Amino acid sequence: MLAFVPAALFFVLFCVSVREDRRRFRNAVLLGLTLMFGSIGLLFQIPELPSPLDAIAVLLVLAVPALGTLVLGGYLIRNGLTMLRKEGRSPTNMLSMAAGLGIFALIALVLGVAGRGSRVVDTMVAGLVMLVGYVSFIFLCFLAYAFLYGRITVRGDVDYVVMLGSGLICGERVSPLLASRLEKGRQIHAAQVARGGRTPLLLVSGGQGSDEKLSEARAMADWLIARGVPEEQVRLEDRSATTKENLAFSRTIMAEADPDYRCVVVTNNFHAFRAAMTARTAGVNGQVLGSPTATYFWPSATLREFVAVFWEHRTVNLSICAGIVAVTALAAVASA
């Protein structure tokens, strides 16, 4: 059982960190380390397991991830084609296809180049695999914890339900993506009213872009009022242009009205964890809940969120990547 000690240690650290604040990215990394060392511990136990448990353990730790990688690559390419057809040709819409093609390109490189007798080439390929492996590990950490974070529910009374804005159709109409956030916020508001506690205010947040005829907040407020929400229960934050400003300006409005406020922030599910990290930085007293997103849109949107989170922590991430590149270069020179 000693093989599981590192996994148990990281799990304890994960629980402590989550208890302190659910909105930290380190929670995702600690969860990933727990799962990784748990898998390693299981590998060490395989010789001690009776049949057929030993075969099942091998499948779980080795075969399932290998097969899953191939399935994932194919799915991402197919999703990329769907994105191009439905959303148009933009760099962000091509993220899932690029990721899928990258998976198969790396597999082809390893199978086609490695082991051909050149130690330098083998070393460089190994370094590339390590580099991709690190980025993939961080992505899986992000994905796993974002999934867990998305299971958060509203507990107790809240004073505000904050809904983050997004672009308007033709500069004036609420998009389906934004409507999903507003409907989720309306449902939370109705549930709070039904439970007999205090009635929260709906705070819609979003300024007016250069191509928009009115502020996103105004369009959001009109959408809610048209669906039965009393106008006096809606507040507008109409100056923000980014998620960071959405949360910072909304916090100012809430804190000025009640320094002890408690809120829930609503955005789309693919954006919830990153928005939660931003909310923590902005000092917002509340968790972030996600609303449903079209299935075909989710993979590319999630990859885009991961790229943003990876870059937000670029000091650590780029330092580790640079370290891998430096070690690979030194090893290649030594093997030449």
Side-chain angles (χ1 to χ4, degrees), residues 177-215:
L177 195 74
L178 183 52
S180 174
R181 302 180 186 184
L182 294 171
E183 180 58 30
K184 179 74 173 182
R186 190 167 72 98
Q187 291 173 2
I188 295 171
H189 179 268
Q192 288 279 305
V193 173
R195 69 191 298 271
R198 68 172 69 103
T199 299
L201 296 174
L202 292 168
L203 178 55
V204 290
S205 176
Q208 181 176 352
S210 59
D211 60 342
E212 293 175 330
K213 300 175 183 178
L214 70 166
S215 70

Side-chain angles (χ1 to χ4, degrees), residues 20-280:
E20 289 179 355
D21 197 324
R22 297 178 182 178
R23 303 171 296 177
R24 294 178 181 271
F25 186 69
R26 74 180 184 192
N27 300 342
V29 176
L30 290 171
L31 175 62
L33 290 171
T34 299
L35 297 175
M36 182 181 74
F37 281 103
S39 298
I40 293 173
L42 184 58
L43 280 176
F44 277 107
Q45 296 300 309
I46 288 176
E48 309 297 328
L49 295 175
S51 181
L53 291 180
D54 55 349
I56 294 174
V58 171
L59 285 174
L60 288 175
V61 178
L62 299 177
V64 171
L67 180 61
T69 300
L70 296 175
V71 173
L72 176 63
Y75 170 75
L76 289 173
I77 292 174
R78 181 179 178 182
N79 176 258
L81 293 173
T82 302
M83 284 293 293
L84 292 177
R85 186 175 68 253
K86 293 189 175 184
E87 300 292 331
R89 297 175 179 271
S90 71
T92 55
N93 291 339
M94 298 178 68
L95 278 176
S96 59
M97 178 180 289
L101 292 173
I103 289 174
F104 287 112
L106 181 62
I107 293 173
L109 178 65
V110 172
L111 295 178
V113 176
R116 293 298 180 91
S118 173
R119 296 178 61 185
V120 174
V121 172
D122 288 349
T123 300
M124 294 178 66
V125 170
L128 178 61
V129 170
M130 289 176 60
L131 190 63
V132 173
Y134 171 73
V135 176
S136 299
F137 171 72
I138 297 299
F139 174 68
L140 291 175
C141 292
F142 169 79
L143 197 64
Y145 188 71
F147 174 80
L148 290 181
Y149 188 86
R151 309 279 78 77
I152 289 177
T153 57
V154 181
R155 295 182 180 179
D157 293 337
V158 297
D159 302 293
Y160 291 90
V161 179
V162 182
M163 285 157 285
L164 306 184
S166 68
L168 303 176
I169 297 176
C170 298
E172 59 183 343
R173 289 189 290 114
V174 168
S175 67
L177 195 74
L178 183 52
S180 174
R181 302 180 186 184
L182 294 171
E183 180 58 30
K184 179 74 173 182
R186 190 167 72 98
Q187 291 173 2
I188 295 171
H189 179 268
Q192 288 279 305
V193 173
R195 69 191 298 271
R198 68 172 69 103
T199 299
L201 296 174
L202 292 168
L203 178 55
V204 290
S205 176
Q208 181 176 352
S210 59
D211 60 342
E212 293 175 330
K213 300 175 183 178
L214 70 166
S215 70
E216 293 167 8
R218 181 68 266 169
M220 294 161 72
D222 292 342
W223 190 98
L224 290 168
I225 294 168
R227 284 155 181 78
V229 176
E231 186 173 358
E232 62 272 15
Q233 294 178 14
V234 180
R235 297 291 184 274
L236 278 68
E237 181 289 297
D238 57 5
R239 297 185 297 135
S240 57
T242 64
T243 299
K244 184 176 181 180
E245 290 182 353
N246 284 147
L247 293 164
F249 295 162
S250 294
R251 175 189 176 277
T252 298
I253 292 173
M254 293 184 289
E256 286 179 351
D258 180 7
D260 297 320
Y261 75 92
R262 182 170 178 263
C263 75
V264 168
V265 180
V266 179
T267 185
N268 289 91
N269 50 15
F270 64 82
H271 186 231
F273 181 38
R274 182 184 167 208
M277 289 188 286
T278 305
R280 175 181 173 273

